[in-house]
C-alpha cells in the first residue's frame, strides 16, 4: 500500500519561523540563516531567538523559545548540539511541531551522539514533532509565489522558476556545488534540500512532496543509501509517472562503496544492483556529477523528455562527426534527410557542403545560410525528427552576432525542440548564449555534452511509461539503517 506523503509545507513554505540561535555575525550559523532568509526575499513572520534579545537583521528578537507568541510554523535550530534536546522540548511546550535542525552531533558523532539521537526520537514521538535533519545544510524553496531559504549554504540558486528543478541531496557539499553551477549555467533550480541524518524525513519524503508541487518540473537526486527501498521505489515510480526523476548514486565501485559506508553508513551495492534498482524505480540514472548537471540543463528546458530522432545542423565537419558519434552512443537515431529538404539544401548550399545528417553548412556560413537551412528543416523535416542539435563554430571571417540574432528569431516559433552548441574562441559568448537562452534554446560549450543531454531526454519517455505500468522487476538493492549524512 502506498503511504500518503507527509505534508511538508511547513518546511518549504512556512508562513512564520523562529531561528533559534539567530545572530548577526556573518560567520555564525545563526547569522548565515538570517542572511539567507533576507536574500531569498522571505515574506513571512521571522522571530529570532537569542538570549541577548535586541534587534537582529531588523527583526525584534525574543530571549527564549517560550516567549514566541503566537507559535510559529517552523523552528530552525542552529545552536550547539548539547543544547538542542532542551530547545526541542521547549518548542514542543510552546506548540511548535516542526523542527529543522542544522547542526550535527547526533547519530554520526559516536556513542554520545547516538544517545542524543535516540533521545531526540523519543521526544519527537512523545510530543508529536516532525524533525528535518539534523546534521544538514538546510532547505531552499524559491517558489515565485512564496520564497523561502533556511540554510547556511553560501549562495542561492537563480531566481525561482515557475517550472523548475528540485535537488535532493545526501551531501551538503554537493548541494552547494549544484547551486554554484545553477548560477553559472542558468539552470532553473527552484528547490534544494540537504537531507542530513534524516531522523524523520528521508529522500523519499522530500521527493513525494516536491513531486506533487506544480512549481517543480523535475527532480534531481544524490543518494548514497536508502532505509526503506520498497517505499522509495513506490514514491519514485509515482513521481516518475508524471515528471522526471534523475539520480546519481554514490558508492557504485568497491572504493566508492567504502567511502559511502564511512559517510552515511550505506551498505555496499555494486553497479549492476544500482542500475537494476533505478530501472525498477522509474529513475533516469546518471553515473557522474557532470552527467547530473547535463541532465539539469536538459530537463530544465524539456521536462517531459524528447523522442530519439535527431537532426544535426552544423557549420563544421569535425564537431558534427563527434556529435554524431556521441548521439549514436546515447541511443539517438540520425535518420536520413527527407528528400524535399535535401533537394532544397542542394539547390542553395555550396557544392562542397554536406547534405546529409549531420548537415555541414561550411565554416563561412552566415545568417542567410543558417536561416535557410533552419527554415528548410522546419518546413520539410518537422515530422521526421524529434529535435535539432545545432553546432556553430565562429571563424575569424564571420560575425557571429547576426547569425545568433537570426537563429534566436527563428527559434521562437520553431516546430521542433532545439539545442545549440558554440565552439572555439567566443568573444561574445555571454551575449550570444543569453540571446539564445531567452529564445528558449539550451546552450552548450561542448557538442558531446549537447548530445548527452539529448540522449538523457530521449530515455525518459520509456522510463515514464514503465513507471505508469508499474511492472518493473524486484531488485536486491540492500536496505540499511541510516547512520550519518
Amino acid at each position: 500500500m502506498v503511504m500518503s506523503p507527509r505534508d511538508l509545507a511547513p518546511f518549504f513554505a512556512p508562513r512564520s519561523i523562529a531561528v533559534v540561535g539567530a545572530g548577526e555575525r556573518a560567520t555564525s550559523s545563526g547569522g548565515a540563516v538570517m542572511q539567507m532568509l533576507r536574500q531569498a526575499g522571505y515574506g513571512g513572520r521571522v522571530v529570532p531567538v537569542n538570549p541577548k534579545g535586541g534587534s537582529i537583521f531588523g527583526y525584534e528578537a525574543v530571549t527564549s523559545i517560550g516567549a514566541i507568541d503566537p507559535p510559529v510554523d517552523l523552528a530552525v535550530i542552529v545552536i550547539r548540539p548539547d543544547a538542542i534536546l532542551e530547545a526541542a522540548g521547549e518548542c514542543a511546550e510552546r506548540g511548535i511541531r516542526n523542527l529543522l535542525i542544522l547542526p550535527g552531533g547526533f547519530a554520526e558523532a559516536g556513542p554520545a551522539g547516538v544517545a542524543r539521537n535516540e533521545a531526540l526520537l523519543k521526544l519527537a514521538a512523545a510530543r508529536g514533532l516532525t524533525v528535518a535533519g539534523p546534521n544538514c545544510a538546510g532547505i531552499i524553496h524559491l517558489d515565485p509565489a512564496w520564497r523561502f531559504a533556511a540554510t547556511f549554504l553560501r549562495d542561492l540558486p537563480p531566481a525561482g522558476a515557475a517550472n523548475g528543478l528540485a535537488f535532493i541531496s545526501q551531501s551538503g557539499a554537493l548541494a552547494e556545488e549544484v547551486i554554484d553551477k545553477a548560477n553559472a549555467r542558468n539552470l532553473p533550480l527552484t528547490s534544494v534540500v540537504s537531507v542530513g541524518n534524516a531522523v524523520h524525513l528521508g529522500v523519499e519524503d522530500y521527493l513525494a512532496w516536491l513531486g506533487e508541487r506544480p512549481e517543480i518540473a523535475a527532480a534531481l537526486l544524490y543518494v548514497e543509501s536508502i532505509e526503506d527501498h520498497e517505499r522509495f521505489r513506490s514514491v519514485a515510480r509515482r513521481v516518475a509517472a508524471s515528471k522526471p526523476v534523475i539520480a546519481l548514486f554514490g558508492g557504485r565501485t568497491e572504493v566508492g562503496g567504502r567511502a559511502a559506508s564511512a559517510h552515511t553508513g550505506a551498505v555496499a551495492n555494486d553497479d549492476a544492483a544500482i542500475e537494476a534498482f533505478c530501472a525498477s524505480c522509474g529513475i533516469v540514472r546518471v553515473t557522474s556529477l557532470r552527467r547530473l548537471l547535463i541532465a539539469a540543463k536538459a530537463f530544465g528546458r524539456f521536462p517531459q523528455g524528447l523522442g530519439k530522432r535527431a537532426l544535426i545542423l552544423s557549420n563544421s565537419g569535425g564537431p558534427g562527426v563527434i556529435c554524431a558519434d556521441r548521439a549514436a552512443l546515447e541511443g539517438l537515431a540520425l535518420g536520413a534527410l527527407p528528400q524535399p529538404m535535401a533537394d532544397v539544401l542542394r539547390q542553395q548550399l555550396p557544392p562542397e557542403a554536406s547534405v546529409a545528417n549531420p548537415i555541414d553548412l561550411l565554416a563561412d556560413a552566415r545568417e542567410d545560410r543558417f536561416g535557410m537551412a533552419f527554415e528548410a528543416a522546419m518546413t520539410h523535416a518537422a515530422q521526421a525528427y524529434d529535435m535539432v542539435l545545432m553546432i556553430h563554430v565562429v571563424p575569424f571571417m564571420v560575425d557571429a552576432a547576426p547569425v545568433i540574432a537570426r537563429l534566436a528569431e527563428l527559434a521562437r516559433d520553431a516546430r521542433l525542440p532545439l539545442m545549440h552548441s558554440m565552439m572555439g574562441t567566443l568573444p561574445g559568448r555571454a551575449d550570444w548564449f543569453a540571446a539564445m537562452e531567452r529564445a528558449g534554446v539550451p546552450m552548450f560549450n561542448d557538442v558531446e555534452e549537447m548530445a548527452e543531454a539529448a540522449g538523457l531526454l530521449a530515455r525518459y519517455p520509456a522510463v515514464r511509461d514503465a513507471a505508469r505500468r508499474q511492472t518493473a522487476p524486484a531488485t536486491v538493492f540492500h536496505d540499511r539503517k541510516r547512520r550519518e549524512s
Side-chain angles (χ1 to χ4, degrees), residues 155-177:
D155 202 358
L156 296 177
N163 292 288
L165 304 169
F167 180 48
I168 304 167
S169 177
Q170 288 184 331
S171 164
L174 287 188
E176 188 148 52
E177 174 68 7

Side-chain angles (χ1 to χ4, degrees), residues 84-86 88-90 92 118-129:
I84 289 177
L85 285 176
E86 182 181 354
E90 291 175 0
E118 291 301 316
L120 177 63
L121 285 169
K122 290 179 181 178
L123 173 66
R127 304 304 297 270
L129 306 178

Side-chain angles (χ1 to χ4, degrees), residues 423-440:
M423 298 184 66
T425 302
L426 305 174
R429 181 194 183 282
D431 291 340
W432 298 338
F433 274 51
M436 294 295 284
E437 295 269 1
R438 285 194 299 270

Side-chain angles (χ1 to χ4, degrees), residues 124-143:
R127 304 304 297 270
L129 306 178
T130 300
V131 178
N135 188 30
C136 72
I139 293 173
I140 298 168
H141 190 60
L142 301 183
D143 177 4

Side-chain angles (χ1 to χ4, degrees), residues 122-482:
K122 290 179 181 178
L123 173 66
R127 304 304 297 270
L129 306 178
T130 300
V131 178
N135 188 30
C136 72
I139 293 173
I140 298 168
H141 190 60
L142 301 183
D143 177 4
W146 191 261
R147 295 167 58 88
F148 175 69
T151 180
F152 48 61
L153 294 171
R154 297 172 67 89
D155 202 358
L156 296 177
N163 292 288
L165 304 169
F167 180 48
I168 304 167
S169 177
Q170 288 184 331
S171 164
L174 287 188
E176 188 148 52
E177 174 68 7
V178 169
I179 290 171
D180 177 69
K181 294 302 184 289
N183 283 296
R185 302 182 186 185
N186 194 32
L187 306 179
L189 186 59
T190 295
S191 287
V192 178
V193 179
S194 171
V195 175
N197 287 12
V199 295
H200 284 158
L201 303 180
V203 172
E204 63 273 22
D205 295 291
Y206 294 114
L207 178 61
W209 193 83
L210 288 167
E212 294 186 350
R213 302 303 305 164
E215 66 269 22
I216 300 300
L220 310 172
L221 312 178
Y222 173 70
V223 179
E224 291 179 5
S225 52
I226 296 169
E227 187 167 347
D228 183 344
H229 71 271
E230 289 300 333
R231 181 165 181 261
F232 181 98
R233 190 197 325 270
S234 176
V235 168
R237 280 177 175 173
R238 188 170 70 248
V239 175
S242 62
K243 57 186 67 174
V245 180
I246 304 99
L248 170 61
F249 276 70
R252 65 191 180 99
T253 66
E254 182 179 351
V255 173
R258 290 199 298 269
S261 179
H263 182 215
T264 61
V267 175
N269 286 284
D270 63 25
D271 193 68
I274 295 171
E275 185 71 27
F277 181 70
C278 287
S280 75
C281 292
I283 286 173
V284 176
R285 184 193 178 199
V286 295
T287 56
S288 68
L289 178 59
R290 186 185 71 85
R291 291 271 288 190
L292 187 70
L293 292 167
I294 291 171
K297 187 73 172 181
F299 287 100
R301 176 63 183 87
F302 303 111
Q304 287 306 309
L306 298 174
K308 294 183 177 181
R309 303 171 302 167
L311 170 64
I312 299 175
L313 173 58
S314 177
N315 71 331
S316 181
V321 171
I322 293 172
C323 185
D325 279 342
R326 176 48 56 186
L329 291 170
E330 294 290 332
L332 300 178
L334 302 180
L337 299 180
Q339 194 59 48
M341 181 180 177
D343 291 342
V344 169
L345 295 180
R346 287 194 180 95
Q347 291 167 11
Q348 300 196 44
L349 289 177
E352 58 271 30
S354 177
V355 179
N357 186 10
I359 299 167
D360 182 3
L361 301 177
L362 304 178
D364 63 350
R366 290 173 169 78
E367 62 273 17
D368 54 348
R369 202 179 296 169
F370 269 101
M372 179 276 298
F374 187 102
E375 290 179 318
M378 297 304 121
T379 301
H380 300 292
Q383 301 303 315
Y385 301 107
D386 299 305
M387 67 184 83
V388 180
L389 308 181
M390 301 188 294
I391 302 170
H392 182 193
V393 301
V394 184
F396 75 93
M397 79 289 283
V398 176
D399 183 359
V403 177
I404 291 296
R406 179 63 174 149
L407 290 175
E409 176 189 12
L410 292 169
R412 291 185 173 90
D413 298 315
R415 296 173 61 194
L416 283 169
L418 308 170
M419 285 181 265
H420 192 70
S421 173
M422 298 187 74
M423 298 184 66
T425 302
L426 305 174
R429 181 194 183 282
D431 291 340
W432 298 338
F433 274 51
M436 294 295 284
E437 295 269 1
R438 285 194 299 270
V441 182
M443 294 294 290
F444 298 86
N445 286 312
D446 183 324
V447 297
E448 291 184 294
E449 285 196 356
M450 179 173 64
E452 288 179 73
L456 289 167
L457 289 168
R459 286 172 55 190
Y460 175 60
V463 168
R464 177 192 60 216
D465 293 345
R468 289 173 178 171
R469 293 191 300 269
Q470 295 191 354
T471 57
T475 72
V476 293
F477 193 88
H478 298 291
D479 284 344
R480 37 82 57 193
K481 290 294 184 183
R482 186 179 309 280

